[in-house]
Structures are given as structure tokens and as C-alpha cells.
Amino acid sequence: MDEELGATFGKAVREARGRLGLTQVEVAALLDMHPMVYSRMERGKMLPRVSTLRRVARVLRTSTDELLGLAKEGREGAKQQSALQRRLMTLAETLDEEQLKALVVMASALSR
């Protein structure tokens, strides 16, 4: 494994997760992977397969270029959100903690 790429990827994933205010366990659940596997990616100890890289970018609402250290300008993925995604995010901001947890469970079930 390319250690520099691993470190770049891990830092980008950690920062993207932080912007969303999610825990490692929550992101791992959204990706349908074990939290230890996700943790290894964030620590730069493991790089994902291409198919997993795409899922990580979608869940963290960022671009694969940003995750791989190729983006010149921060969050390109945010510019590509559809109107429905923006609407969902706006509605989610009005929910309390319990409602948000229920929304995450439902979204996770729908994404399988």
C-alpha cells in the first residue's frame, strides 16, 4: 500500500466525517462495514476498493478527488448535490436527535 496515499485518504475521510458531525460507527453503519475496517481507513492503514471508495464519497457527501488528494478546491461534491438531496439536508436540520437517528436508520435500510 502507498503510505502517503493512505495518510492523505485517511485525513480527508476524517475531515469529511467531521464536517457532517458523524461518528466512525455511524459512517461504518451507513457503509455497511465493520467499524474497525472503517477506523483502519481513517488511520491511513487501509485503502478501499474502487467500489467502496465511491460509496464512501457518497456517504460523506464529497468527491473521490478530494478523498484521494486530487481536488484543488475543497468540497466539489457539495456542488453536485441534487435538489432532493439539498431538500433532505434542510429538513434534517429541523429534526431533534431521536428523529435524526430514525432518519439514519431508514436511509441506511433504503440504501441496501
Side-chain angles (χ1 to χ4, degrees):
M1 182 187 89
D2 182 330
E3 290 183 25
E4 183 180 343
L5 179 56
T8 298
F9 178 76
K11 180 180 180 202
V13 171
R14 234 181 353 270
E15 289 174 354
R17 178 178 59 80
R19 285 192 299 264
L20 296 176
L22 297 172
T23 67
Q24 286 186 351
V25 172
E26 290 169 330
V27 173
L30 291 169
L31 292 169
D32 197 27
M33 72 172 50
H34 194 280
M36 290 298 289
V37 173
Y38 179 77
S39 174
R40 288 187 69 215
M41 286 194 299
E42 270 203 15
R43 289 182 284 128
K45 303 297 183 192
M46 182 183 128
L47 290 170
R49 292 183 300 193
V50 173
S51 59
T52 303
L53 173 63
R54 289 184 65 208
R55 286 186 9 237
V56 170
R58 270 193 224 126
V59 165
L60 295 177
R61 294 195 325 257
T62 190
S63 70
T64 54
D65 280 357
E66 183 178 346
L67 295 179
L68 296 174
L70 301 173
K72 291 182 181 178
E73 294 186 23
R75 299 189 52 209
E76 294 175 12
K79 296 176 188 173
Q80 299 172 353
Q81 286 183 339
S82 72
L84 285 174
Q85 288 171 318
R86 288 190 302 273
R87 182 174 176 213
L88 178 60
M89 290 305 300
T90 301
L91 291 171
E93 290 173 358
T94 67
L95 302 177
D96 65 31
E97 189 70 20
E98 290 301 314
Q99 291 170 322
L100 280 173
K101 287 178 184 177
L103 180 59
V104 169
V105 169
M106 289 189 304
S108 181
L110 288 171
S111 68
R112 291 183 184 177

